[in-house]
Amino acid sequence: MKICHFKVQFKKLHHSDETEKFNLKIFNLNFADSFQPIVSKYHKLCRSTDFYLYIYQQAHKDLELPSVIVQGDMHPGNLMWSIDKNDNIQNSIAAIVDWQTMQEGSPMTDLARFLVHCADGNIRREAESFAIKLYYQCLIEEFGDISKVPYTLEKLQQAYKYAFLAQALYSLGTMDFFVPSMEEKIKDEKMRKDLFDSGMLKSLHVFEDSDKLLEGELNDLFIKFG
């Protein structure tokens, strides 16, 4: 099977003055006081092609984690759930679809993408620790012995932080796609506003956690790329 290596094409998305103005306009609609400092502080970093290339292609290797097959677009719309004989949905996945962005990369990329884009902040923060530990436990069971697992839990947790940052900052550049799409598909004004406010709050929590990482243990990334 031929693996598609990751190729970043962020220039059109992240280096457009129109995109910058549109994104800032979106964030100014609600939560302006909370978003504006973070958006201004990390706008250069979220537009850095070198930053994304490092996160997707090199960061996990620096932690001595071997590359794995990454689906690349992990979200509920790409998951097919099992059903029983009565057509009741079960708590197990039957298939994962849409592999057109498949790549070699960090074992934490798909998990970070799923949690950043699909979970509210309070749920994501609880799920992160649990999910990474469960992932590692599954590796131990698969290899049969913890000594055979090619990396430690601590390195896996660190790899997640890198993957989380990439997904968090990339989300800033995709607002100009998702917001108009939501406005077109959802005609009920109240429902649209509720979903928008919920999404903004989720994004705010993501950026707050990103800021904590970039001001703390991953400050070297901000210095180098930001």
Side-chain angles (χ1 to χ4, degrees), residues 103 129 212:
Q103 63 201 251
S129 176
K212 185 181 297 184

Side-chain angles (χ1 to χ4, degrees), residues 111 115 123-133 160 164:
L111 177 62
L115 291 179
I123 296 175
R124 172 182 56 77
R125 287 163 176 164
E126 291 183 16
E128 285 169 339
S129 176
F130 164 79
I132 297 170
K133 289 178 181 177
Y160 176 84
F164 168 82

Side-chain angles (χ1 to χ4, degrees), residues 14-27:
H14 291 281
H15 293 268
S16 164
D17 291 337
E18 289 74 17
T19 299
E20 177 178 352
K21 293 175 182 177
F22 190 85
N23 283 324
L24 292 177
K25 180 181 178 182
I26 289 173
F27 284 113

